[in-house]
């Protein structure tokens, strides 16, 4: 922005003013940026706009969770979720329209990938949610756990995080951001070298190659063994740990044997396990295990000194919980159609 202003014979510091309006005050309309001179506002207004996702609908859960359907400039939609009191205030943000990973238990996976979000669209969700929830000048956490696979849209996701970190904007510390991934190994290797490093969550979900390939198809390419190896080598700050997410599917991966294998797999790692009892949805051919079964699984981990938590599902009544985000009809595209879309978006 500074470069653009200088090119037009304006002073660079206006960039800071504009950035503050956009991020700290939630104002995207140049006309309302009252500390810029009128001529400058008129000039900028004629040339620029700040595309901002538009709230198309909003649903409120009995537990305070709010799900937003946001419309992007091209008419596509994504979902973003506000989850209060976790104990922090948390925004769950999407990185793609749809997702190409096709995990068998996830509704977004059924959509296939429509397109990547731009850095502005990723950061824009945070702007919209912060404004809608009155948190523009208050602390909040961000989890990249909405629609899409962040490491499958690596550059845009990382650019968005840099924008959100910018000191004149939200100035969000990377400690307040968690990136969740199915475990695209080359992406993790790149992430390991990033100066701005979010917390890492790995969607593990299984303890053998065969079981994981059946549930998380990218495992075919990035094996469980290579993923675990990469995690073992991942640089972690003092006291930091990798979260391993484990969706629990009745009769599939929820037995005491699975729990014991999980302990072995993660032995010696700075890890914590987050169990996610399946959030059922139409078209998902798995069942949620009973609370007792989840409890038993958790106990086996705890007995072996692993840190384990069970994710409370939030907003299930409005289909805002993990794996329940889906928009635009959600018809799965063929591999050929997906490839065409990918090519078009590059
Ligand atoms: N693609 C990234 C970001 C999505 S995060 C990833 O896979 O990590 C969403 C989390 O919810 C992931 O751990 C995902 O595996 C989990 N999930 C997906 N469908 C679910 C469902 N139906 N019930 C519970 N958790 C689910």
């Amino acid at each position: 922005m500074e470069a653009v202003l200088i090119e037009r014979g304006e002073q660079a510091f206006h960039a800071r003013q504009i950035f503050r309006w956009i991020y700290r005050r939630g104002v995207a309309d140049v006309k309302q940026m009252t500390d810029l001179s009128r001529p400058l506002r008129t000039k900028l207004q004629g040339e620029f706009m700040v595309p901002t996702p538009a709230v198309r609908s909003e649903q409120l859960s009995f537990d305070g969770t709010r799900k937003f359907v946001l419309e992007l400039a091209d008419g596509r939609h994504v979902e973003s979720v506000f989850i209060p009191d976790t104990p922090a205030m948390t925004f769950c943000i999407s990185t793609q329209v749809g997702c190409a990973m096709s995990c068998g238990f996830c509704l977004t996976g059924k959509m296939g990938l429509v397109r990547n979000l731009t850095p502005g669209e990723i950061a824009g969700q945070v702007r919209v949610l912060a404004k809608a929830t009155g948190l523009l000048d208050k602390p909040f956490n961000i989890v990249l756990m909405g629609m899409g696979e962040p490491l499958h849209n690596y550059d845009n996701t990382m650019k968005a995080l840099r924008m959100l970190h910018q000191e004149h904007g939200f100035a969000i510390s990377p400690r307040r951001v968690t990136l969740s991934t199915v475990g695209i190994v080359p992406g993790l290797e790149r992430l390991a070298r990033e100066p701005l490093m979010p917390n890492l969550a790995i969607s593990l979900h299984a303890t053998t190659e065969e079981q994981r390939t059946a549930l998380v198809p990218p495992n075919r390419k990035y094996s469980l063994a290579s993923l675990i190896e990469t995690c073992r080598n991942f640089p972690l700050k003092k006291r930091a740990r990798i979260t391993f997410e484990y969706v629990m599917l009745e009769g599939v991966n929820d037995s005491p044997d699975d729990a014991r294998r999980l302990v072995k797999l993660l032995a010696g790692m700075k890890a914590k396990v987050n169990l996610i009892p399946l959030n059922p949805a139409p078209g998902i051919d798995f069942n949620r295990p009973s609370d007792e079964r989840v409890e038993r699984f958790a106990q086996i981990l705890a007995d072996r000194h692993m840190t384990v938590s069970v994710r409370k599902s939030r907003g299930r009544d409005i289909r805002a919980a993990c794996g329940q985000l889906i928009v635009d009809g959600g018809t799965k595209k063929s591999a050929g159609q997906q490839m065409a879309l990918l090519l078009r978006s590059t």
Side-chain angles (χ1 to χ4, degrees):
M1 275 163 70
E2 286 181 345
V4 161
L5 286 161
I6 291 167
E7 261 169 40
R8 282 160 183 73
E10 301 291 340
Q11 288 191 302
F13 78 92
H14 294 309
R16 264 171 280 160
Q17 293 174 301
I18 297 167
F19 207 83
R20 275 190 214 128
W21 277 108
I22 297 172
Y23 283 90
R24 296 216 179 144
R25 304 202 205 168
V27 171
D29 177 2
V30 180
K31 277 197 303 278
Q32 293 176 39
M33 301 185 180
T34 45
D35 56 0
L36 304 178
S37 71
R38 256 174 220 287
L40 179 57
R41 275 185 263 168
T42 311
K43 190 167 165 184
L44 292 175
Q45 209 189 318
E47 262 193 284
F48 299 102
M49 55 186 253
V50 185
T52 301
V55 178
R56 272 295 153 260
S57 70
E58 191 195 323
Q59 280 173 283
L60 174 66
S61 163
F62 71 91
D63 67 13
T65 298
R66 290 162 72 177
K67 180 170 88 171
F68 296 83
V69 175
L70 302 183
E71 187 169 305
L72 308 169
D74 66 349
R76 297 285 184 187
H77 298 93
V78 286
E79 297 186 339
S80 318
V81 183
F82 168 60
I83 315 154
D85 316 313
T86 57
M89 301 294 168
T90 302
F91 298 145
C92 179
I93 298 299
S94 297
T95 55
Q96 297 179 313
V97 182
C99 185
M101 301 297 117
S102 301
C103 300
F105 46 83
C106 178
L107 214 48
T108 310
K110 304 271 173 224
M111 287 176 67
L113 178 65
V114 179
R115 71 168 172 88
N116 281 332
L117 296 186
T118 64
E121 288 168 337
I122 298 170
Q125 293 168 69
V126 179
R127 284 196 282 123
V128 171
L129 264 63
K131 191 171 181 184
T133 56
L135 293 175
L136 279 169
D137 53 356
K138 302 212 170 59
F140 51 79
N141 291 350
I142 296 173
V143 294
L144 300 176
M145 296 189 185
M147 303 170 74
E149 165 50 47
L151 297 187
H152 191 215
N153 184 16
Y154 189 97
D155 292 321
N156 292 354
T157 298
M158 293 315 295
K159 185 164 184 191
L161 294 187
R162 289 192 292 275
M163 287 158 70
L164 292 166
H165 179 64
Q166 228 285 333
E167 60 167 320
H168 300 290
F170 284 131
I172 290 168
S173 148
R175 274 173 298 133
R176 285 192 165 275
V177 180
T178 300
L179 183 152
S180 178
T181 173
V182 292
I184 297 178
V185 169
L188 284 169
E189 285 164 352
R190 270 183 87 184
L191 190 67
R193 297 190 297 270
E194 288 288 343
L196 208 72
M197 175 87 74
N199 300 309
L200 183 59
I202 302 282
S203 288
L204 194 67
H205 308 323
T207 53
T208 69
E209 299 288 355
E210 199 190 352
Q211 193 188 36
R212 191 162 194 270
T213 298
L215 298 175
V216 183
N219 194 65
R220 221 168 283 141
K221 195 156 174 204
Y222 309 112
S223 69
L224 179 59
S226 67
L227 173 58
I228 293 292
E229 169 74 10
T230 308
C231 289
R232 286 195 186 278
N233 295 326
F234 200 81
L236 290 174
K237 292 208 187 70
K238 248 203 217 152
R239 285 195 290 276
R241 282 185 284 180
I242 299 179
T243 299
F244 288 90
E245 297 160 285
Y246 192 97
V247 67
M248 298 200 63
L249 311 170
E250 186 184 55
V252 176
N253 65 355
D254 64 342
S255 72
D257 276 347
D258 289 301
R260 285 186 281 267
R261 267 198 306 272
L262 185 56
V263 172
K264 257 202 183 145
L265 200 60
L266 303 182
M269 231 193 277
K270 286 165 76 180
K272 51 188 171 184
V273 174
N274 189 212
L275 301 175
I276 319 175
L278 178 77
N279 294 310
I284 301 294
D285 295 329
F286 293 100
N287 296 314
R288 181 185 179 95
S290 66
D291 289 353
E292 295 73 52
R293 223 168 144 79
V294 174
E295 204 42 53
R296 173 136 188 246
F297 194 100
Q299 195 59 50
I300 294 174
L301 304 189
D303 287 346
R304 286 155 183 80
H305 312 293
M306 299 204 61
T307 306
V308 56
S309 55
V310 179
R311 188 176 297 180
K312 257 217 242 149
S313 73
R314 300 287 299 264
R316 255 207 294 167
D317 55 328
I318 55 166
R319 206 163 282 162
C322 304
Q324 296 189 312
L325 303 184
I326 188 165
V327 286
D328 291 340
T331 39
K332 176 112 187 170
K333 308 243 172 354
S334 71
Q337 284 172 311
Q338 285 215 37
M339 188 53 80
L341 283 165
L342 270 174
L343 291 175
R344 216 167 59 197
S345 68
T346 49

